[in-house]
């Protein structure tokens, strides 16, 4: 069994190696085993994937901290890879909430996790600047001198606030507050990503698999990105294949989808 410290060290090494690396997002133990067998070097949980798998919408507050951590524990125990967790906004709006979420995440063997600056209030979805920084400070203090890589997320663009200057200012402040990795989902173009990477000192994570954004790993690395996640998009690919197969059977009464399936033997080998 690989030690927690070894996982953390391997995770840190990925963030300092040349180029960019992909950290895909399994949504349960089985998909964690598959992605590990495919050859990825680190994994991250997905709130969207977990919500869909449990029959819920992907929305702020749809999942509890206990549910997210139970799912993350399954993923941690399913593989030997470093695992980082989507901890949303710390499942609360106070610095203490973020601190508690980080401490519980460390307790189950996670070596990384993200805290975002959202409020769960649809009328005012983004935290005030100072409060958001306070939350990251509390999270950073919680994992100080511990084997845990803290990611801070600025969610402006995910909520229709196309303010790159504010996003950069938030991420700069989050880095100063102790975040190890910075993340701004749904930036609109490669130039915005490039500007962001030039303006911050910490490694930058971006998410791919959303909409029609198709930049390659090499293109993102050239722009300065260090880490690439896929959010819930792998889960949506899997669910899309399920819907396509189901519709084929229901509407046409045929089973040609079986020609596209992976063999039972191959999947079984990945699960061992």
């Amino acid at each position: 069994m690989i030690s927690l410290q070894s996982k953390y060290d391997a995770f840190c090494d990925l963030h300092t190696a040349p180029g960019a690396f992909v950290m895909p997002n399994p949504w349960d133990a089985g998909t964690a085993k598959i992605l590990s067998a495919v050859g990825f070097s680190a994994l991250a949980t997905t709130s969207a994937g977990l919500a869909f798998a449990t029959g819920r919408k992907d929305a702020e507050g749809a999942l509890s901290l206990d549910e997210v951590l139970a799912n993350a524990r399954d993923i941690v125990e399913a593989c030997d890879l470093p695992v980082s967790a989507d901890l949303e906004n710390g499942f609360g709006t106070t610095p203490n909430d973020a601190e508690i979420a980080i401490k519980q995440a460390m307790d189950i063997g996670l070596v990384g996790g993200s805290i975002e600056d959202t409020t769960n209030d649809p009328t005012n979805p983004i935290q005030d600047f100072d409060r958001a920084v306070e939350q990251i400070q509390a999270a950073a203090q919680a994992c100080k001198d511990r084997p845990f890589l803290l990611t801070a997320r600025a969610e402006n663009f995910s909520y229709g606030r196309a303010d790159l200057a504010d996003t950069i200012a938030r991420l700069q402040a989050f880095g100063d507050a102790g975040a190890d990795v910075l993340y701004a989902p749904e930036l609109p173009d490669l130039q915005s990503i490039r500007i962001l990477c030039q303006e911050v000192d910490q490694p930058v994570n971006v998410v791919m698999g959303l909409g029609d954004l198709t930049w390659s790993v090499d293109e993102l690395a050239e722009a300065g990105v260090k880490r690439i996640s896929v959010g819930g998009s792998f889960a949506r690919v899997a669910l899309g294949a399920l819907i396509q197969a189901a519709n084929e059977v229901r509407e046409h009464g045929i089973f040609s989808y079986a020609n596209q399936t992976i063999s039972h033997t191959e999947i079984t080998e990945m699960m061992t």
Side-chain angles (χ1 to χ4, degrees):
M1 180 178 294
I2 298 176
S3 71
L4 185 67
Q5 185 65 49
S6 294
K7 289 182 180 181
Y8 172 74
D9 291 341
F11 198 33
C12 291
D13 288 345
L14 290 169
H15 290 79
T16 57
F21 72 97
V22 179
M23 182 178 70
N25 304 75
W27 54 96
D28 58 16
T31 51
K33 285 179 177 287
I34 290 169
L35 293 171
S36 178
V38 166
F40 288 101
S41 299
L43 303 175
T45 66
T46 163
S47 293
L50 176 59
F52 300 150
T54 54
R56 280 173 278 188
K57 296 179 179 180
D58 176 31
E60 292 290 340
L63 300 167
S64 69
L65 176 59
D66 287 345
E67 289 174 309
V68 166
L69 291 179
N71 173 253
R73 185 193 297 273
D74 289 343
I75 291 170
V76 167
E77 293 176 351
C79 65
D80 290 329
L81 298 180
V83 179
S84 182
D86 177 359
L87 299 173
E88 300 189 5
N89 60 359
F91 296 87
T93 57
T94 70
N96 186 58
D97 294 322
E99 180 181 356
I100 290 171
I102 293 294
K103 287 180 176 178
Q104 292 189 21
M106 290 188 292
D107 287 345
I108 65 166
L110 289 160
V111 295
S114 62
I115 298 291
E116 63 191 44
D117 59 351
T118 54
T119 65
N120 295 346
D121 178 359
T123 65
N124 182 34
I126 303 298
Q127 282 275 20
D128 292 340
F129 189 101
D130 290 342
R131 173 53 66 88
V133 173
E134 289 173 1
Q135 282 191 278
I136 298 302
Q137 287 175 328
Q141 187 62 36
C143 59
K144 185 178 181 181
D145 301 322
R146 297 283 299 276
F148 193 88
L149 211 63
L150 175 64
T151 298
R153 295 174 49 151
E155 298 286 321
N156 275 335
F157 282 85
S158 295
Y159 287 85
R161 290 178 36 160
D163 189 338
L164 184 60
D166 183 63
T167 298
I168 290 171
R170 285 171 178 264
L171 291 179
Q172 289 172 332
F174 296 164
D176 291 342
D180 302 297
V181 181
L182 304 175
Y183 183 7
E186 301 192 53
L187 293 179
D189 51 58
L190 205 56
Q191 180 62 12
S192 297
I193 293 172
R194 182 175 289 107
I195 293 170
L196 170 61
C197 291
Q198 292 171 346
E199 294 295 325
V200 299
D201 296 326
Q202 289 77 14
V204 171
N205 185 107
V206 300
V207 60
M208 293 299 291
L210 304 178
D212 58 357
L213 304 181
T214 57
W215 308 307
S216 68
V217 172
D218 288 344
E219 287 175 313
L220 290 166
E222 186 277 330
V225 171
K226 178 55 61 178
R227 192 175 82 189
I228 304 162
S229 53
V230 299
S233 65
F234 277 14
R236 289 186 287 106
V237 165
L239 294 173
L242 170 64
I243 292 168
Q244 185 176 358
N247 282 335
E248 177 184 80
V249 174
R250 186 182 63 83
E251 295 174 4
H252 304 290
I254 58 175
F255 304 89
S256 66
Y257 73 86
N259 296 325
Q260 306 299 319
T261 61
I262 189 171
S263 74
H264 184 273
T265 299
E266 189 173 356
I267 282 288
T268 299
E269 289 175 352
M270 290 181 173
M271 296 300 146
T272 58

